[in-house]
Structure formats: structure tokens, C-alpha cells
Amino acid sequence: MTPTDSLTRGAGRTAVRPPLPVKMVIAGGFGVGKTTAVGSISEIEPLTTEASITEVAAGVDDLSLTPRKTTTTVAMDFGCITIDPTLKLYLFGTPGQERFGFMWDDIVEGALGGLVIVDTRRLDDCYAAVDYFEHKGIPFAVAINAFDGRVEHTLDEVRWALDVAEGTPLVVFDARERGSVRDALLVVLELALARSGG
């Protein structure tokens, strides 16, 4: 069998279609696990724009709950994952700090949906991301990152604190675990497809 044969089927020699590309955004506050999530799931070496946290940045960004964090995303993260032969997700991670917010419109343009990652120890840091997706009308789910295997609040408490609509899914996941990230992304994909009638 030649490579050409493997790309065709039957007498009509119909070409196998490549997977449909779908853009998905991973957002959230500083240090919540966006870069980690993209790196955990991506089937390619992820593109990151990590820069060292300088003394000046440390004076602006709250590192009290992320003392081991030495770098931060200054533009975006990028990775991809083939869900099945028909669908491939292209993942774009936003920078978490408010001072990089001007990039969000460009990063989010054309996205089918978003995953807003939350650290329950620092709920204030994710308000901006939740508000952004609600304002833009982009389907999203809230993914509570289980740092050290636990979360500080229940899903109901997080929903209430963030004032997230009942139709917005909330899930607990671990940004370090490939399967856990995949499951969270599938929640967003199903929500977005349901809203689009797909």
C-alpha cells in the first residue's frame, strides 16, 4: 500500500479529510495553571512566551500563594490536540496579568469557546476573565485547578462568589494531568457545539 492509497477509499477514491481546526482559549488570572494545562495536553511542543519574574514584576504581582513561580506568560501559550480524526483543538493561553489585557481581543478572535481556570485561594484574580467571556458572549466553562489535590471552596460556593450563570459549567480538574485537562476542554467543546446547534 502506498501513502496515496492510505489517503483514498473505495472506487471513487474519496480523499480523507484532515481534522476540522477549532480554536479554544485558556484564560484566567496570574499563576492559575494556564501554561501548565497547555503543556500537559498539547501533542506538539507547546509554544510559550515565558519571561523571568523580575523584582519589579514581583512588586506588582502577588506571589504569596505561588512562591515557587519564577516565570510568567507575557504574550500567550500555544498548543494543539487532536480529539479524534475529525477534530483538532488549537489552544491559545492568555497572559494572566491585567497589564497584558490589551492582547486578549486578538488572542480570543475566532475562538469557539474558552476555559477559565480558577485558583480557589485567589478567586479575585479570575473575575476579569469571567467578565470578559460573559461580555463577549463566548461560551466558556470554569475549571477549578486542584492545587495540591484539593480546592478551598465547593462548586456552589465558587459559582456564587463569581456570580456565574447556571448554564455555565464548573468542573474541578488538575492542570498537570493530561486526561483531566482533556475532560475540561471537552466540557467547553460540548457547550459551544450545543450553543451553535452543531
Side-chain angles (χ1 to χ4, degrees):
M1 178 180 283
T2 68
T4 303
D5 291 334
S6 67
L7 294 176
T8 59
R9 290 185 183 156
R13 299 182 65 81
T14 304
V16 174
R17 294 176 185 242
L20 178 69
V22 173
K23 182 176 183 180
M24 191 79 66
V25 174
I26 297 180
F30 170 74
V32 296
K34 300 179 298 296
T35 300
T36 300
V38 172
S40 296
I41 192 75
S42 182
E43 63 193 17
I44 63 169
E45 184 69 27
L47 167 69
T48 62
T49 56
E50 292 285 291
S52 296
I53 296 176
T54 63
E55 287 184 23
V56 173
V60 175
D61 300 319
D62 181 6
L63 301 175
S64 61
L65 290 171
T66 56
R68 295 186 301 268
K69 188 167 179 61
T70 60
T71 62
T72 187
T73 301
V74 295
M76 69 172 188
D77 300 312
F78 173 78
C80 63
I81 180 68
T82 303
I83 299 297
D84 63 33
T86 67
L87 189 65
K88 187 169 191 171
L89 296 184
Y90 289 87
L91 309 173
F92 291 78
T94 65
Q97 298 94 324
E98 187 175 335
R99 63 185 177 276
F100 297 125
F102 66 92
M103 299 180 194
W104 278 45
D105 284 344
D106 290 331
I107 293 172
V108 171
E109 185 176 355
L112 185 68
L115 185 68
V116 176
I117 300 179
V118 172
D119 178 350
T120 56
R121 300 169 300 179
R122 300 178 291 131
L123 286 175
D124 289 353
D125 291 351
C126 72
Y127 290 135
V130 169
D131 288 346
Y132 182 89
F133 283 95
E134 287 179 342
H135 177 73
K136 293 287 185 180
I138 298 171
F140 72 99
V142 173
I144 299 166
N145 197 358
F147 284 91
D148 301 319
R150 62 191 183 90
V151 295
E152 298 291 323
H153 303 284
T154 67
L155 292 180
D156 286 341
E157 289 171 338
V158 172
R159 185 180 297 281
W160 178 84
L162 297 179
D163 193 24
V164 176
E166 284 297 323
T168 301
L170 271 72
V171 298
V172 176
F173 87 128
D174 187 332
R176 302 166 299 178
E177 297 292 332
R178 180 181 177 87
S180 188
V181 176
R182 178 204 61 219
D183 292 347
L185 289 170
L186 288 176
V187 168
V188 179
L189 185 61
E190 289 172 5
L191 175 67
L193 291 175
R195 287 202 188 171
S196 68

